[in-house]
Amino acid sequence: TAEHTHGNYKFDVKYSVKDTANGVSDIKTSEFPYELNIKAVTDAPTLTIGNIETTNTSKVIITDKTVTIKEPSAEFKVPLTTTSNDKDGSETVQEIVISGVPQGVEVVGATYYGYNGSIHNGIWVIKNPSDKILNSDGASSEITFKVNPGSNFEERDIKITTYIKDSGDAKVESASQTIRIEKDPSYISGSGTGTPPLFNLSTQPTT
């Protein structure tokens, strides 16, 4: 079978037994069906962050993977590509989890799952991304972060994790990258949580 092949394969096995005594040979042939079940195995993925971009150049400074906010009501976009050695399209991105998102910062299009420990350790999840099939080019996504008006966010690292899985009951594998969000000295923090306000959700694990 080819590399990364999985599934059930049925074929017949045939064998012969030869017995020779006193110069006389006796050959008996038998045949039986055989089934081979090759389970799918998820390859370890690689997550790559492209060039972070913004249209709010007066409000956002981007230096490699560090984003410095000068003013609220700012947005920046983080392009991601998930790849693996399995390029036949059987592996797919199950979800993308963004953790460590500070209060007042929103992940556009993602679902907020509450926070872990600190209110500035928010967890956002993108389920079923539009490009989720790992083919020869991998699966690409673009995550948009929005700093809402009035936010007094905490400077911290934000961890982005992609989870992939092959077909059937294959194991889920993951890969992560980190970006950092900081405040410029000129940033004027609000006294509130930023709009929209903090969701009234308890801490809960991602699934």
Side-chain angles (χ1 to χ4, degrees):
T1 61
E3 187 179 11
H4 302 296
T5 297
H6 60 271
N8 293 326
Y9 298 87
K10 295 181 179 180
F11 50 91
D12 293 329
V13 176
K14 186 176 182 180
Y15 68 95
S16 298
V17 177
K18 181 178 180 181
D19 183 20
T20 302
N22 300 321
V24 179
S25 296
D26 181 23
I27 300 177
K28 291 186 177 182
T29 301
S30 296
E31 187 173 335
F32 63 92
Y34 189 82
E35 182 175 350
L36 178 63
N37 181 15
I38 302 176
K39 286 191 174 184
V41 176
T42 306
D43 289 53
T46 299
L47 180 62
T48 304
I49 292 181
N51 294 326
I52 302 174
E53 297 181 345
T54 183
T55 57
N56 308 130
T57 54
S58 63
K59 299 180 179 181
V60 180
I61 300 172
I62 299 170
T63 307
D64 193 20
K65 294 181 182 180
T66 299
V67 179
T68 304
I69 306 300
K70 298 176 69 177
E71 298 179 28
S73 300
E75 292 187 4
F76 59 94
K77 296 182 178 182
V78 180
L80 308 173
T81 302
T82 305
T83 57
S84 83
N85 290 330
D86 188 344
K87 304 182 186 300
D88 63 7
S90 61
E91 294 181 344
T92 56
V93 177
Q94 305 295 296
E95 62 183 16
I96 301 171
V97 177
I98 306 101
S99 57
V101 181
Q103 183 179 9
V105 179
E106 176 185 355
V107 182
V108 179
T111 301
Y112 180 66
Y113 269 66
Y115 57 86
N116 184 12
S118 166
I119 59 174
H120 293 289
N121 189 20
I123 300 169
W124 296 73
V125 179
I126 298 173
K127 295 277 191 180
N128 197 29
S130 56
D131 183 10
K132 62 181 181 180
I133 298 176
L134 273 67
N135 50 28
S136 59
D137 298 324
S140 299
S141 298
E142 188 174 67
I143 300 178
T144 300
F145 293 84
K146 180 180 179 181
V147 181
N148 288 303
S151 61
N152 183 16
F153 68 90
E154 180 181 281
E155 297 182 328
R156 64 180 300 125
D157 290 339
I158 296 175
K159 184 178 180 181
I160 303 171
T161 304
T162 181
Y163 293 86
I164 74 166
K165 179 180 173 296
D166 210 312
S167 58
D169 58 353
K171 181 182 176 182
V172 175
E173 298 287 353
S174 65
S176 300
Q177 288 283 354
T178 300
I179 65 171
R180 183 165 180 82
I181 185 169
E182 296 181 348
K183 296 176 185 176
D184 188 78
S186 64
Y187 185 88
I188 300 175
S189 300
S191 57
T193 61
T195 54
L198 179 68
F199 293 85
N200 185 22
L201 294 177
S202 61
T203 302
Q204 55 182 297
T206 58
T207 57

